[in-house]
Short mmCIF file of all heavy atoms in Angstrom, two decimals:
data_model
loop_
_atom_site.label_atom_id
_atom_site.label_comp_id
_atom_site.label_asym_id
_atom_site.label_seq_id
_atom_site.Cartn_x
_atom_site.Cartn_y
_atom_site.Cartn_z
N GLN L 70 -9.02 29.94 -4.32
CA GLN L 70 -9.51 28.86 -3.46
C GLN L 70 -8.94 27.51 -3.88
O GLN L 70 -8.60 26.69 -3.02
CB GLN L 70 -11.04 28.81 -3.48
CG GLN L 70 -11.60 27.84 -2.44
CD GLN L 70 -13.11 27.87 -2.40
OE1 GLN L 70 -13.77 27.69 -3.42
NE2 GLN L 70 -13.67 28.09 -1.23
N LEU L 74 -6.91 25.06 -1.54
CA LEU L 74 -7.33 23.66 -1.37
C LEU L 74 -6.19 22.70 -1.65
O LEU L 74 -6.04 21.68 -0.98
CB LEU L 74 -8.53 23.36 -2.28
CG LEU L 74 -9.88 23.93 -1.80
CD1 LEU L 74 -10.90 23.90 -2.93
CD2 LEU L 74 -10.41 23.16 -0.58
N HIS L 77 -4.05 22.76 1.30
CA HIS L 77 -4.73 22.04 2.38
C HIS L 77 -4.56 20.53 2.22
O HIS L 77 -4.43 19.79 3.20
CB HIS L 77 -6.21 22.42 2.37
CG HIS L 77 -7.03 21.79 3.46
ND1 HIS L 77 -6.68 21.87 4.79
CD2 HIS L 77 -8.17 21.06 3.42
CE1 HIS L 77 -7.58 21.23 5.53
NE2 HIS L 77 -8.49 20.72 4.71
N ILE L 87 -6.32 26.82 5.65
CA ILE L 87 -7.75 26.72 6.00
C ILE L 87 -8.39 28.10 6.04
O ILE L 87 -9.49 28.31 5.51
CB ILE L 87 -7.94 25.99 7.35
CG1 ILE L 87 -7.42 24.55 7.26
CG2 ILE L 87 -9.41 25.99 7.76
CD1 ILE L 87 -7.41 23.80 8.59
N ILE L 90 -9.02 29.27 2.53
CA ILE L 90 -10.22 28.65 1.95
C ILE L 90 -11.47 29.35 2.48
O ILE L 90 -12.40 29.67 1.72
CB ILE L 90 -10.28 27.14 2.30
CG1 ILE L 90 -9.11 26.38 1.67
CG2 ILE L 90 -11.61 26.54 1.82
CD1 ILE L 90 -8.90 24.97 2.21
N ILE L 91 -11.50 29.61 3.79
CA ILE L 91 -12.65 30.26 4.42
C ILE L 91 -12.87 31.65 3.84
O ILE L 91 -14.01 32.03 3.52
CB ILE L 91 -12.46 30.33 5.96
CG1 ILE L 91 -12.56 28.92 6.56
CG2 ILE L 91 -13.48 31.26 6.61
CD1 ILE L 91 -12.11 28.82 8.01
N CYS L 94 -14.45 31.25 0.50
CA CYS L 94 -15.86 30.86 0.66
C CYS L 94 -16.73 32.08 0.92
O CYS L 94 -17.83 32.21 0.35
CB CYS L 94 -16.02 29.88 1.83
SG CYS L 94 -15.45 28.19 1.50
N ASP L 99 -20.34 31.21 -0.32
CA ASP L 99 -20.57 29.81 0.04
C ASP L 99 -20.61 29.68 1.56
O ASP L 99 -19.61 29.32 2.20
CB ASP L 99 -19.45 28.94 -0.57
CG ASP L 99 -19.57 27.47 -0.21
OD1 ASP L 99 -20.62 27.08 0.35
OD2 ASP L 99 -18.62 26.71 -0.48
N GLU L 101 -22.20 27.54 3.55
CA GLU L 101 -22.07 26.20 4.12
C GLU L 101 -20.62 25.70 4.05
O GLU L 101 -20.14 25.03 4.96
CB GLU L 101 -23.02 25.22 3.42
CG GLU L 101 -24.49 25.51 3.67
CD GLU L 101 -24.84 25.69 5.15
OE1 GLU L 101 -24.33 24.93 5.98
OE2 GLU L 101 -25.63 26.61 5.45
N GLY L 102 -19.94 26.02 2.95
CA GLY L 102 -18.51 25.68 2.84
C GLY L 102 -17.71 26.41 3.90
O GLY L 102 -16.83 25.84 4.55
N GLU L 103 -18.05 27.69 4.10
CA GLU L 103 -17.37 28.50 5.12
C GLU L 103 -17.55 27.88 6.50
O GLU L 103 -16.61 27.76 7.28
CB GLU L 103 -17.94 29.93 5.09
CG GLU L 103 -17.12 30.95 5.88
CD GLU L 103 -17.55 31.13 7.34
OE1 GLU L 103 -18.49 30.45 7.78
OE2 GLU L 103 -16.94 31.96 8.02
N TYR L 104 -18.79 27.45 6.78
CA TYR L 104 -19.08 26.86 8.10
C TYR L 104 -18.35 25.53 8.28
O TYR L 104 -17.80 25.25 9.35
CB TYR L 104 -20.59 26.65 8.24
CG TYR L 104 -20.99 26.06 9.56
CD1 TYR L 104 -20.92 26.82 10.73
CD2 TYR L 104 -21.43 24.73 9.65
CE1 TYR L 104 -21.28 26.29 11.96
CE2 TYR L 104 -21.79 24.19 10.88
CZ TYR L 104 -21.72 24.97 12.03
OH TYR L 104 -22.06 24.44 13.24
N SER L 105 -18.32 24.73 7.23
CA SER L 105 -17.66 23.43 7.30
C SER L 105 -16.17 23.57 7.63
O SER L 105 -15.65 22.90 8.52
CB SER L 105 -17.84 22.69 5.97
OG SER L 105 -17.11 21.49 5.97
N TYR L 106 -15.49 24.46 6.92
CA TYR L 106 -14.06 24.65 7.17
C TYR L 106 -13.80 25.38 8.49
O TYR L 106 -12.79 25.15 9.14
CB TYR L 106 -13.40 25.40 6.00
CG TYR L 106 -13.11 24.48 4.83
CD1 TYR L 106 -13.94 24.46 3.72
CD2 TYR L 106 -12.02 23.61 4.87
CE1 TYR L 106 -13.70 23.59 2.66
CE2 TYR L 106 -11.77 22.74 3.82
CZ TYR L 106 -12.61 22.73 2.72
OH TYR L 106 -12.36 21.86 1.68
N THR L 107 -14.75 26.25 8.89
CA THR L 107 -14.60 26.94 10.18
C THR L 107 -14.67 25.96 11.33
O THR L 107 -13.84 25.98 12.25
CB THR L 107 -15.66 28.04 10.34
OG1 THR L 107 -15.43 29.07 9.36
CG2 THR L 107 -15.61 28.68 11.72
N THR L 108 -15.66 25.05 11.29
CA THR L 108 -15.77 24.07 12.38
C THR L 108 -14.56 23.13 12.38
O THR L 108 -14.09 22.73 13.44
CB THR L 108 -17.09 23.25 12.26
OG1 THR L 108 -17.22 22.75 10.93
CG2 THR L 108 -18.29 24.11 12.58
N GLU L 109 -14.05 22.81 11.20
CA GLU L 109 -12.85 21.97 11.11
C GLU L 109 -11.64 22.69 11.72
O GLU L 109 -10.80 22.08 12.39
CB GLU L 109 -12.56 21.64 9.64
CG GLU L 109 -11.36 20.71 9.45
CD GLU L 109 -10.97 20.56 7.98
OE1 GLU L 109 -11.82 20.72 7.09
OE2 GLU L 109 -9.77 20.29 7.73
N SER L 110 -11.57 24.01 11.49
CA SER L 110 -10.40 24.78 11.94
C SER L 110 -10.26 24.81 13.46
O SER L 110 -9.16 25.02 13.98
CB SER L 110 -10.48 26.22 11.41
OG SER L 110 -11.43 27.00 12.14
N TYR L 111 -11.36 24.60 14.18
CA TYR L 111 -11.32 24.66 15.64
C TYR L 111 -10.26 23.72 16.22
O TYR L 111 -9.55 24.08 17.16
CB TYR L 111 -12.71 24.32 16.20
CG TYR L 111 -12.76 24.16 17.69
CD1 TYR L 111 -12.54 25.25 18.54
CD2 TYR L 111 -13.03 22.92 18.27
CE1 TYR L 111 -12.57 25.10 19.92
CE2 TYR L 111 -13.07 22.76 19.65
CZ TYR L 111 -12.84 23.85 20.47
OH TYR L 111 -12.87 23.71 21.84
#
Side-chain angles (χ1 to χ4, degrees):
Q70 188 176 54
L74 284 165
H77 182 53
I87 297 173
I90 296 167
I91 290 168
C94 285
D99 179 9
E101 293 310 318
E103 193 268 1
Y104 180 71
S105 175
Y106 281 101
T107 294
T108 50
E109 183 188 334
S110 75
Y111 172 67

